[in-house]
């Protein structure tokens, strides 16, 4: 296989993924995900949007400082202030990159009210500015797939002449289709002077469910960088899913003969990590990483499968880091066994984290006869709550057919104990009312979802809660064998995240949080 068939994987989970409403991640979570991506062999990590907030800047800077193999990239709108801030954050990386962009379609040109010539000049100036700071510059014409062909060709040429080393062609609204996606890249490479000297990238959104197909088609057309996210995390229907494009190129190498540097056995661990910290659970039938993606993992032991796994399997579970056994441990299992099982499942925990999970494992094993892989994944993915404003200390609910449900709750709020009793329409409502009374807030419950982790009435429930307050969205997740306890912990988890977002965007905060969609100066 020659180098011309090497496709770079550009992961934007921490930028395009994280900007999806509700997917906010903490500083520590971002660092952890970046380190896992680096270890998995991602070529370029888009670590964030440094001008967006002080927190974003710190995260990109620290990810850059800690990077080992990957190039670290930050996003910047088309103005010198954004670009300088981005450079400040990425410059300490072993290999830094500035990614600057502007919306070039008629709809996007109308927002900053620039005509075609003025925008062309802005592109020339900003790419030149970025290139004077960093020799690795990516430029994107946002909404490229709805930009007039002649204008797209013109601005791509300007960006290349100004020094861009990668040109990314975003399908910002998931509008294109495979034939068009391939054709667009092919024609740009054929017709733009200098196009053969740089790398073309594809960045697809999944609004019509074609992001994976469109990305692979762009590669057929000559793109050699795919921009994607773990689990396809991203706004609306999300971005191209990393695991899908990487496994498609691997499994169908006979007809999609391209290589990546990804260690695919690390996919499941990253998928679980991103699902837990973003609060966006992976749908059961999601390709590659869904709970049902490998039939025998969900207990459907078809006769053919038992005789020959290849009857129904085009890839082995181990190829993506999924262990083949499910029944694991009981209450007599020790710490060493837990550590080794968690490692097999992709969780390498520090000693204090292991201790914390071990306590919760023993508690679970006391309540539940058999502890499965899925139970351990739910335990290991849980936040220990150490740095949270609000914590649940006790809960007792009374419910049934006679009268309203009652919740008796103990909490600590910024270190102070509080206990109260509330009623409601069912146990979850009563318990949520207690949280609302103890921590008054105006957040609206946007989503409340419960999943059983395994089978049986003693199964753990994983609960997701999404809250919205003044346009700020935060998602929380928690698991417990008691559904009401899991619900309250998920609610408190979301509330704690909302409090952090509130502090970041308060009127007196250092830097106002901005979105890459705010046109800026
Ligand atoms: O979808 C998009 O156009 C983007 C750009 C900022 C590259 O995410
Ligand atoms: Zn995007």
């Amino acid at each position: 296989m020659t180098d011309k068939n090497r496709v770079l994987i550009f992961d934007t989970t921490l930028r395009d993924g994280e900007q999806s409403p509700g997917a906010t991640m903490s500083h520590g979570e971002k660092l952890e995900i970046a380190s896992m991506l680096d270890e998995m062999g991602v070529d370029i990590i888009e670590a964030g949007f440094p001008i967006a907030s002080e927190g974003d800047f710190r995260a990109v800077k620290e990810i850059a400082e800690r990077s080992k193999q990957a190039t670290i990239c930050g996003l910047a709108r088309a103005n010198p202030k954004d670009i300088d801030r981005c450079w400040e954050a990425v410059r300490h990386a072993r290999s830094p990159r500035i990614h600057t962009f502007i919306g070039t379609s008629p709809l996007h040109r109308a927002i900053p009210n620039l005509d075609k010539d003025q925008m062309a000049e802005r592109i020339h100036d900003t790419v030149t500015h970025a290139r004077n700071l960093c020799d690795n510059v990516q430029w994107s014409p946002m909404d490229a797939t709805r930009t007039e062909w002649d204008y797209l060709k013109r601005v791509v040429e300007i960006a290349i002449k100004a020094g861009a080393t990668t040109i990314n062609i975003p399908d910002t609204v998931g509008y294109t289709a495979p034939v068009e996606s391939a054709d667009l890249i092919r024609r740009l490479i054929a017709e733009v002077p200098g196009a053969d000297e740089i790398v073309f990238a594809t960045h697809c959104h999944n609004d019509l469910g074609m992001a994976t197909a469109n990305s692979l088609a762009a590669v057929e057309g000559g793109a050699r960088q795919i921009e994607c996210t773990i689990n396809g995390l991203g706004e609306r229907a999300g971005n191209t899913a990393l695991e899908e494009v990487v496994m498609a190129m691997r499994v169908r190498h006979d007809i999609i003969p391209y290589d990546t540097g990804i260690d695919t056995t690390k996919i499941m661990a990253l998928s679980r990590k991103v699902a837990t910290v973003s609060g966006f659970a992976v749908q059961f039938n999601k390709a590659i990483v869904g709970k049902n993606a490998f039939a025998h993992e969900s207990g459907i032991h078809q006769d053919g499968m038992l005789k020959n796994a290849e009857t129904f399997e085009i890839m082995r579970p181990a190829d993506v880091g999924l262990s083949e056994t499910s029944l694991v441990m009981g209450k007599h299992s020790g710490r060493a066994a837990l550590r080794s099982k968690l490692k097999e499942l992709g969780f390498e925990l520090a000693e204090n984290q292991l201790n914390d999970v071990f306590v919760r494992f023993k508690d679970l094993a006391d309540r539940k006869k058999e502890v499965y892989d899925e139970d351990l994944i739910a335990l290991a993915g849980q936040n220990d709550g150490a740095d949270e404003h609000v914590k649940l200390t006790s809960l007792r609910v009374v419910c049934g057919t006679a009268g309203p449900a009652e919740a008796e709750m103990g909490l600590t709020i910024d270190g102070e104990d509080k206990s109260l009793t509330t009623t409601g329409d069912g146990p979850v409502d009563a318990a949520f009312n207690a949280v609302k009374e103890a921590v008054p807030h105006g957040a609206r419950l946007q989503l409340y979802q419960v999943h059983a982790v395994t089978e049986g009435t003693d199964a753990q429930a994983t609960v997701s809660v999404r809250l919205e307050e003044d346009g700020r969205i935060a998602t929380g997740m928690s698991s417990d064998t008691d559904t009401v306890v899991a619900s309250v912990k998920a609610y408190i988890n979301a509330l704690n995240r909302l409090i952090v977002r509130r502090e970041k965007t308060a009127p007196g905060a250092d830097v106002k949080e901005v979105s890459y969609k705010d046109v800026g100066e």
Side-chain angles (χ1 to χ4, degrees):
M1 193 56 55
T2 55
D3 264 349
K4 71 180 183 19
N5 283 4
R6 171 72 156 85
V7 171
L8 299 170
I9 296 296
F10 175 110
D11 182 279
T12 183
T13 306
L14 298 174
R15 198 279 297 170
D16 221 357
E18 208 249 353
Q19 282 228 331
S20 146
T24 318
M25 300 170 194
S26 72
H27 185 76
E29 290 165 347
K30 286 183 192 176
L31 297 188
E32 227 179 307
I33 289 175
S35 139
M36 289 170 82
L37 289 168
D38 202 346
E39 233 173 76
M40 181 168 75
V42 160
D43 299 285
I44 305 110
I45 298 172
E46 188 164 48
F49 179 33
I51 198 86
S53 70
E54 198 52 44
D56 261 67
F57 177 83
R58 268 197 311 118
V60 178
K61 182 165 179 281
E62 216 167 314
I63 289 169
E65 285 163 352
R66 293 175 180 214
S67 60
K68 295 202 172 90
Q69 296 296 324
T71 293
I72 305 300
C73 173
L75 185 72
R77 292 167 300 182
N79 67 69
K81 202 168 144 206
D82 269 43
I83 293 170
D84 291 346
R85 187 86 175 142
C86 177
W87 176 237
E88 269 313 302
V90 297
R91 63 186 299 178
H92 304 286
R94 239 191 80 256
S95 164
R97 174 182 291 190
I98 296 174
H99 176 193
T100 181
F101 76 100
I102 196 163
T104 52
S105 66
L107 284 166
H108 282 274
R109 286 199 304 268
I111 302 171
N113 198 16
L114 296 177
D115 67 22
K116 286 183 175 173
D117 292 338
Q118 288 165 327
M119 181 167 284
E121 196 181 326
R122 171 86 74 99
I123 293 164
H124 171 268
D125 293 351
T126 49
V127 174
T128 305
H129 184 82
R131 190 55 209 265
N132 284 337
L133 297 169
C134 180
D135 59 12
N136 188 341
V137 172
Q138 170 166 329
W139 179 73
S140 297
M142 184 161 74
D143 207 13
T145 53
R146 293 192 301 168
T147 300
E148 307 91 318
W149 166 247
D150 283 341
Y151 191 59
L152 182 64
K153 223 168 65 166
R154 176 178 165 198
V155 289
V156 166
E157 182 176 348
I158 289 170
I160 294 175
K161 284 212 174 105
T165 44
T166 299
I167 298 288
N168 174 39
I169 301 299
D171 183 29
T172 305
V173 290
Y175 181 69
T176 197
V179 172
E180 187 181 66
S181 178
D183 202 44
L184 192 56
I185 302 279
R186 198 175 285 122
R187 287 179 70 196
L188 284 168
I189 293 175
E191 296 182 32
V192 175
D196 52 340
E197 314 255 305
I198 55 106
V199 173
F200 273 88
T202 177
H203 175 113
C204 297
H205 282 262
N206 202 30
D207 298 65
L208 291 172
M210 292 194 282
T212 294
N214 289 337
S215 301
L216 294 172
V219 169
E220 279 300 324
R224 287 296 177 269
Q225 177 177 303
I226 296 180
E227 306 208 352
C228 45
T229 59
I230 300 290
N231 298 340
L233 187 69
E235 261 181 288
R236 308 185 309 276
N239 289 62
T240 300
L242 179 147
E243 62 277 8
E244 293 180 15
V245 284
V246 167
M247 289 312 288
M249 288 187 275
R250 179 176 159 150
V251 174
R252 295 310 313 272
H253 206 261
D254 53 333
I255 55 164
I256 318 175
Y258 306 99
D259 295 316
T260 71
I262 299 293
D263 173 357
T264 63
T265 63
K266 303 219 180 311
I267 284 177
M268 276 315 297
L270 257 153
S271 166
R272 288 174 189 136
K273 186 82 202 165
V274 169
T276 308
V277 307
S278 68
F280 280 61
V282 176
Q283 78 194 49
F284 281 14
N285 58 341
K286 163 84 179 63
I288 319 293
V289 292
K291 189 172 157 67
N292 293 354
F294 294 91
H296 75 285
E297 282 298 308
S298 60
I300 307 161
H301 287 269
Q302 312 234 13
D303 189 43
M305 271 293 300
L306 291 174
K307 291 188 179 118
N308 179 359
E310 284 178 23
T311 322
F312 289 101
E313 252 178 30
I314 57 167
M315 50 198 157
R316 286 171 302 143
D319 295 343
V320 297
L322 200 58
S323 67
E324 314 225 3
T325 60
S326 187
L327 178 58
V328 267
M329 305 171 75
K331 64 177 178 186
H332 300 298
S333 308
R335 194 183 302 258
L338 179 67
R339 182 200 296 279
S340 123
K341 188 69 207 176
L342 286 171
K343 187 156 187 251
E344 198 183 299
L345 293 171
F347 294 91
E348 300 223 25
L349 304 184
E351 205 53 38
N352 59 336
Q353 290 172 311
L354 181 73
N355 290 345
D356 180 56
V357 175
F358 189 65
V359 170
R360 284 189 270 138
F361 160 69
K362 284 288 178 188
D363 177 48
L364 181 66
D366 271 342
R367 287 186 279 151
K368 197 171 181 289
K369 275 201 305 286
E370 291 154 333
V371 179
Y372 294 85
D373 284 0
E374 292 85 343
D375 289 314
L376 290 181
I377 291 162
L379 280 188
Q382 258 185 69
N383 189 332
D384 62 6
D387 52 358
E388 298 195 325
H389 291 271
V390 186
K391 281 183 222 169
L392 178 73
T393 51
S394 66
L395 175 65
R396 188 161 184 83
V397 287
V398 181
C399 63
T401 51
E406 195 176 273
E408 213 180 284
M409 187 176 289
L411 296 157
T412 59
I413 304 165
D414 290 323
E416 265 187 44
D417 292 333
K418 182 153 191 155
S419 48
L420 66 170
T421 303
T422 48
T423 56
D425 192 4
V428 175
D429 189 50
F432 281 17
N433 284 342
V435 179
K436 277 186 237 163
E437 199 177 308
V439 190
H441 58 273
R444 198 172 60 83
L445 183 67
Q446 262 196 349
L447 172 93
Y448 170 66
Q449 210 169 57
V450 185
H451 284 304
V453 172
T454 56
E455 284 155 24
T457 49
D458 65 348
Q460 289 194 88
T462 290
V463 179
S464 308
V465 164
R466 191 178 309 144
L467 298 176
E468 188 268 337
E469 184 188 68
D470 299 332
R472 289 179 287 254
I473 297 175
T475 310
M477 236 179 164
S478 190
S479 308
D480 200 282
T481 48
D482 184 318
T483 308
V484 185
V485 171
S487 302
V488 173
K489 285 187 175 168
Y491 188 52
I492 290 176
N493 186 216
L495 196 56
N496 279 316
R497 286 169 184 259
L498 201 60
I499 293 170
V500 172
R501 298 211 66 192
R502 231 191 248 159
E503 286 167 354
K504 251 180 30 172
T505 56
D510 286 355
V511 180
K512 192 175 165 303
E513 193 177 57
V514 292
S515 154
Y516 72 91
K517 290 183 192 145
D518 302 332
V519 175
E521 56 273 31

